[in-house]
Amino acid sequence: MPPPTPSTEELFRPPVLRPFSGTLDRSLFSKTIPLAAATVSSNQNIARYRRELEKAKEILCVDRINAIAAHPDPVLASQGKKCLLLDPSAKPTQPETWGAVLKGGVEKDELGVIPYELKLDYSYYGFLDVITSILPEELHDEIPSGFNAAGHVAHLNLREPYWPYKALIGEILVDKNAHIRTVINKVDNVGTESEFRTFAYEVLAGPDDMDVEVRENDCAFHFDYSKVYWNSKLEKEHTRLIGMFKPGEVVCDVMAGIGPFAVPAGKKGVFVWANDMNPESHKYLTEAIKRNKVGQYVRPFNSDGRKFIHEAADSVHAAATAGEHAVIQKKARRHRQDNGATEKELPPPEKVPIPPTIAHFVMNLPASAYTFVHHYRGIYAGKEDLFVPHTSTKLPLVHVHCFALKSDDEVPLLDICERLTNELGVKMVPGDADNYGEASIHNVRDVAPAKRMFCATFRLPPEVAFAPRT
């Protein structure tokens, strides 16, 4: 009795290389898969027969393999002859294994059937294919395939069971990601060992080169990844909040980092007072402001965020009182003269004044930002006339990033509101941020099996904003 025919999945599965010897031998991933191929008498019929064979599920359908291949005969291949790779169930010398479309094409002398050897090597397999063929089966459930990328650097946070394979993991990641040259592994907890959210790391593969360039929200950033905080997985959150800011408003970014909120907002015509306590972040923030030409809108500061909340409110009010503004030069208009000639007419520039109040505060320090919110007390003491009901201006929205339990019920929302209540001295409940005493809580991302990052947005309560300063 002949052995059962392997399934397509089994045929294309990488070889099992366990137990692992300690050295990545890429040649061991080479294999030859015997197939049948349909030769096409006229290349004009290739597209038609491909469609018909696909519809009948008689053609090879495997990721990253093109079913149209050069003829295996080098002479015919040099003449442009091609063939269609067939599903592994079809055998070149066994017509009983052929499907109806293939048989019909052969009967019409439009198709022929020949053996074909499909050769695969290490370059064909993806990261997960390679690593699962090497790692012990008990480690397959949580293979570290995801990483935080900063330019050419891939940043991993490997769990202890994977430490014996860390160099191998780094080597394969470099192989399988064209933009990655360096792979590092974090060896402490961000925000625990460093108040600047930097971390100690070890290089798993590639050079120890942490000088990176990244682009996000149509802005360019350059920085030393070992000296500042950057998380590419927060791009969606950066974009979400920036979308809430309106041109001509003022945003205070209390923990701005190198400017992933501030710089794109400035490009949008939003005034931003951007602060970070880390001198290195301030340096690269200043560089990003200049590089992206948003200096009219974004001002960098290097201060403790607790102090900066009041400092920013006072500074913005002083800038507005002094008549500070941005200048927008409008595009030239073409003006037709009496003699028929045209000349460019440059309209006068538009002045965009800095408003006297801040519309949004951003606090992207999830480990501890909520502990800063009591510093809003008295921020606009004595300036009640700047806000509703005396004007149409509402008190600022505060966006506080924080960590909480990962749960699909209200437990994390209630926990976050309880923390805000304790800090503000005003009762906060989940709800609509436009209503005083309510917080809109957005699920940002999961950061661990039982831990989730949220953003709590609330309108600063009047009893906090207008309280006497202490």
Side-chain angles (χ1 to χ4, degrees), residues 184-429:
I184 62 171
N185 182 42
K186 184 178 71 173
V187 294
D188 62 23
N189 293 319
V190 176
T192 302
E193 283 75 11
S194 169
E195 63 180 335
F196 296 151
R197 291 188 284 179
T198 57
F199 55 89
Y201 67 92
E202 58 182 341
V203 177
L204 304 186
D208 187 0
D209 176 12
M210 303 292 274
D211 193 62
V212 302
E213 300 262 353
V214 301
R215 289 195 67 85
E216 186 176 289
N217 281 309
D218 200 29
C219 294
F221 299 90
H222 159 255
F223 51 93
D224 184 329
Y225 189 39
S226 69
K227 296 179 179 178
V228 303
Y229 178 78
W230 177 269
N231 191 336
S232 60
K233 294 179 180 178
L234 290 176
E235 180 174 3
K236 186 177 179 181
E237 176 64 1
H238 298 154
T239 304
R240 183 185 74 89
L241 277 189
I242 292 164
M244 297 174 66
F245 308 152
K246 296 177 182 177
E249 288 184 333
V250 181
V251 170
C252 174
D253 194 347
V254 183
M255 303 94 172
I258 64 166
F261 288 109
V263 175
K267 210 162 191 178
K268 185 179 174 180
V270 178
F271 293 104
V272 186
W273 263 240
N275 171 72
D276 201 273
M277 191 176 177
N278 182 353
E280 290 291 329
S281 294
H282 177 261
K283 179 180 79 173
Y284 290 114
L285 169 62
T286 303
E287 179 185 313
I289 291 168
K290 182 177 180 180
R291 182 173 185 176
N292 293 281
K293 300 178 181 178
V294 293
Q296 286 199 105
Y297 291 99
V298 185
R299 304 188 184 193
F301 299 86
N302 181 209
S303 181
D304 185 320
R306 299 167 183 83
K307 298 178 182 178
F308 187 69
I309 291 170
H310 276 206
E311 291 171 352
D314 294 343
S315 174
V316 168
H317 186 263
T321 303
E324 295 182 29
H325 55 269
V327 177
I328 300 176
Q329 182 60 62
K330 295 184 177 179
K331 292 183 179 179
R333 296 191 296 261
R334 290 190 176 275
H335 176 69
R336 185 177 294 277
Q337 297 178 316
D338 294 339
N339 61 6
T342 60
E343 65 175 9
K344 288 184 178 180
E345 181 180 310
L346 200 64
E350 177 187 353
K351 292 184 177 180
V352 181
I354 295 175
T357 61
I358 295 170
H360 299 264
F361 282 88
V362 179
M363 306 180 73
N364 183 26
L365 188 66
S368 60
Y370 73 93
T371 66
F372 287 45
V373 297
H374 66 271
H375 292 281
Y376 286 98
R377 181 163 294 277
I379 188 173
Y380 284 117
K383 294 186 172 65
E384 290 84 349
D385 58 336
L386 297 176
F387 299 95
V388 173
H390 310 285
T391 71
S392 61
T393 301
K394 297 180 179 179
L395 282 163
L397 285 172
V398 182
H399 310 277
V400 184
H401 290 94
C402 54
F403 294 130
L405 177 72
K406 179 181 175 181
S407 175
D408 293 330
D409 54 23
E410 280 205 332
V411 170
L413 312 187
L414 296 172
D415 170 49
I416 291 167
C417 285
E418 183 179 356
R419 283 184 259 165
L420 292 176
T421 296
N422 292 337
E423 293 292 330
L424 289 168
V426 174
K427 178 69 174 177
M428 299 295 295
V429 297

Side-chain angles (χ1 to χ4, degrees), residues 70-82:
H71 197 289
D73 185 320
V75 176
L76 294 177
S78 67
Q79 298 171 3
K81 291 293 184 181
K82 299 183 183 299

